[in-house]
Amino acid sequence: MSAHPAPTARYPVLEAIFRFVLAARWFVIGIYVLILPAAGYLATRVGQDNSIERLVVTSDPDYAATKAFQEVFGSGENGFLILEADEPLSQPVVAVLDRLERALGEIPDVQPSSALTAFRRTKGGFEPVPEQVAAFRAFVEGSALLRQQGLVGGGFVALPVGMTVRSEQDRDRVLADIEQALVRSGARAFPIEAVRCVGQPYVTTYLGRATRQSGQRGLGLFLALATVLVLLLYRSVRTLAAFGIGLGACIALSVGYVGLTGGQFTIVSPMVPMTVLITATASFVYIHSRFVERPPEVPLGEHHVFAVANKFVAVTASLFAAAVGFAALIVSSIRPIREMGLWVAVGMLVIWLVSFTLFPALQAVLHTPTAQERRTAAPWFSRFVSWVTRFSFRWRWPLVLASLALSAMGLASLVGVPGLLPPAPMYSNPVDYMSRQALEYRDFQRADQLLPGLSVSQVWLKGKLGTVSEPDVLTALNEFQQTLEADPDIGTVAGVPTLLRMMRYIAGDGDAWPTDPDDLDDLAADLEEGARSEPILRHFVDGASLSQTYLAVISKANDQESTERVDARIRNEWARAVAKAPALRAFEMRIVGSSRLQAKIKQNMVPTLVESFVLTVLIIFCAFVVVFRSGTARIMALIPSVFAIAVMFGVMRATGMVLNVATVLVASTILGASENDQIHFFYHFQERRKTGTVEQSLRHALFISGRAILFASVINAGGFLAFAAADLPPIRDFGILACTALVLAALADFTALPASLWILMRARPDDAVTAEALSAAPEPTEV
């Protein structure tokens, strides 16, 4: 069988274009030499930001409300340093706490605040001598307020730390300075048994570090795998050089675009360069595999032009479909997913440009060998094509029915079965994205046991000028706060009433809320004065107008259901409080903060999965309409991808993996990556179907595109599998699931797809058709 199609399949216009490209190969390479350094520089300028605000699109109402809240009360980050000890109020432990608080106070942009801070201000100073330590212990034990706020408890004392950070570098610097303060103060040694460092800045820093490490490790493993496979498949260092330079250009231009537009990477960002590299490698494999199949009688230059032109339509259609499919992710309300879709779509356009300009020029300049100069791997493939063609016919019904059954089971594991199986679980809490072996994760788990909670919702109250300091308002807010604290889902609440009660306790008046009108007037006056001078009061009150304040509701709500329960309880109790205290009618209430954004992310996961997948299917189907004239081909070309994705969800559920901000992308990613195989398969199937039988067309398609499908699938699956070494569970699960789906898609390409063709086209193997024709022929008559 000749590797070339019939002469009628030549492409005069395309061949003229690529003849010009190959003739101007040095000029093409020169252009890339000029632009790649600038692209590489822009790529190095891309930063990392894994804060929760980066996970929600800027047009989201909750995001906009949170940003408006931060403009009033500041956008600093808060952490907790929890010192565990057998006797947390003993003289040695309090001495360490004192040294630590002093060391933290010397760090720019750090504001420590603890029970000792309040006591120090009360006494005008503090020295860790026995008498003052005893007085501090009595101060702590004299009020339940400090324990209720989580500042001290059985076996621990906590030190809240406010941080003013403006960038990732600021955060890293501040946390490094805090760690040095912990060491210098003796907090990392006896009598302190353990120090738990928790809070948003620690989560963000860990995710940023782990994301970079996962990306670098994954890219390194992919490049090593690609190097080995290219050498094994094509057995040429020159071919490896063409692949390497082409891939480098694709990644530099794609990531350079991210830097040019001011983008920043997040937890899902390692998938951007990896998807670009994998898709580029697959495109190069398709083009180069056609190039190496040169018949001995065809001159190299003529064959090179033909090979590139022959793969132009299929590669262009697959990259266009992938680009528009990834662009469909812009429907997502999860910001990193939307950005990833745009960036990968741009990457697909870059791959297309490099595949038909730089890569052919490199093939020509480096004199990459064809099969006539150097035999490639897989000489057994012709025998495999013959076997799989007959195998898919013989077992066509079992193959198709088994594929449908497995697909149905996979989809049921995702959406659930009423009364039998709940839908697949979802994670949106950034702590759940940590490695279970990480020290930071263990700190958060322990802190969750010690503190009233780690999830914070801000109840933002916007009133009129001076309304916050009115006695009736303060009393109503205190009652509202106590009602919330009585809810079992809520650990504690901090706000202006908490601070005013603490001020009364420090003054010796006890920590109970006053009922005497004169005492309430004095409390209101203290608030008006303190709002201008006390930093901690200014943190909770708009000091300029006394028109806005907020309550920080701290709970253990770590999933969407519990967060929604807490939010509902806040709204219901607020409605009751307003009905009971008319003074609160002057305020507009809005729930903002990171916990609200986390719930919004989880709420948007399933719509992102469904909407992006449906849009991707529709867009790829439209691409099939353009490429394929056969309606059967348009539908059946999706079979391997849909089968692989559906079964992959079954694997995800069976192995205990969950939907999160990374794994929710697998379906669209696999559909965009695997449909390349189907486009190339059906392109060559139709190429031969014009003059041949179904069996001849299957053999031709499998022989021409099957080897490239096999090679590309191995490289693609191995590339995503490199993420299995990632520390972050979402990235690791994404890599395992993507690899599984690509293997399943390749398996379906060689089994379920040809089996479906045999059934739908009602065809039989050529020798069976011939035998039937002979048996139906009349017996020869004797002359």
Side-chain angles (χ1 to χ4, degrees), residues 678-708:
Q678 288 88 65
I679 287 180
H680 287 274
F681 176 91
F682 273 100
Y683 180 78
H684 292 293
F685 178 83
Q686 288 189 315
E687 185 178 60
R688 185 69 178 88
R689 191 74 179 95
K690 296 174 183 177
T691 57
T693 64
V694 170
E695 181 175 5
Q696 291 171 345
S697 302
L698 279 173
R699 288 176 179 269
H700 177 79
L702 289 171
F703 184 81
I704 298 299
S705 64
R707 184 158 29 193

Side-chain angles (χ1 to χ4, degrees), residues 644-673:
I645 292 168
V647 177
M648 175 206 68
F649 283 126
V651 173
M652 181 185 78
R653 193 68 184 273
T655 55
M657 299 181 191
V658 299
L659 286 175
N660 53 49
V661 73
T663 56
V664 76
L665 293 168
V666 176
S668 296
T669 301
I670 295 306
L671 190 59

Side-chain angles (χ1 to χ4, degrees), residues 349-545:
L349 300 179
V350 169
I351 294 169
W352 179 84
L353 183 65
V354 172
S355 296
F356 293 108
T357 54
L358 179 61
F359 187 67
L362 291 171
Q363 287 177 307
V365 168
L366 295 173
H367 302 289
T368 56
T370 67
Q372 299 304 317
E373 294 85 31
R374 185 165 302 170
R375 182 180 296 275
T376 59
W380 48 267
F381 196 74
S382 297
R383 298 191 300 273
F384 172 74
V385 167
S386 299
W387 175 82
V388 79
T389 303
R390 294 303 179 92
F391 172 83
S392 63
F393 170 77
R394 181 178 180 182
W395 300 97
R396 58 194 183 280
W397 284 108
L399 287 171
V400 171
L401 293 177
S403 300
L404 292 175
L406 290 172
S407 299
M409 292 170 60
L411 291 176
S413 69
L414 174 66
V415 301
V417 178
L420 295 177
L421 184 69
M426 295 177 287
Y427 284 170
S428 63
N429 189 341
V431 176
D432 293 325
Y433 298 160
M434 292 180 168
S435 169
R436 300 304 182 260
Q437 287 73 45
L439 174 63
E440 291 85 349
Y441 180 80
R442 296 198 297 270
D443 281 353
F444 272 89
Q445 293 301 104
R446 178 59 176 160
D448 192 49
Q449 298 172 357
L450 299 175
L451 299 180
L454 294 173
S455 178
V456 181
S457 297
Q458 281 89 16
V459 182
W460 183 14
L461 302 175
K462 300 169 63 177
K464 299 178 181 179
L465 182 67
T467 50
V468 172
S469 62
E470 294 177 2
D472 291 345
V473 169
L474 293 175
T475 298
L477 289 179
N478 179 67
E479 293 177 357
F480 174 55
Q481 177 175 327
Q482 290 182 332
T483 303
L484 290 178
E485 289 175 337
D487 188 278
D489 286 331
I490 295 175
T492 189
V493 180
V496 170
T498 310
L499 299 177
L500 294 177
R501 288 172 60 193
M502 180 59 65
M503 292 171 62
R504 282 179 54 80
Y505 177 67
I506 292 173
D509 297 327
D511 61 5
W513 190 261
T515 57
D516 183 78
D518 293 335
D519 290 340
L520 287 173
D521 288 340
D522 292 341
L523 208 60
D526 291 340
L527 173 61
E528 292 174 354
E529 181 180 352
R532 293 189 293 269
S533 59
E534 289 290 336
I536 192 168
L537 273 176
R538 290 203 306 270
H539 184 69
F540 280 92
V541 181
D542 175 18
S545 63

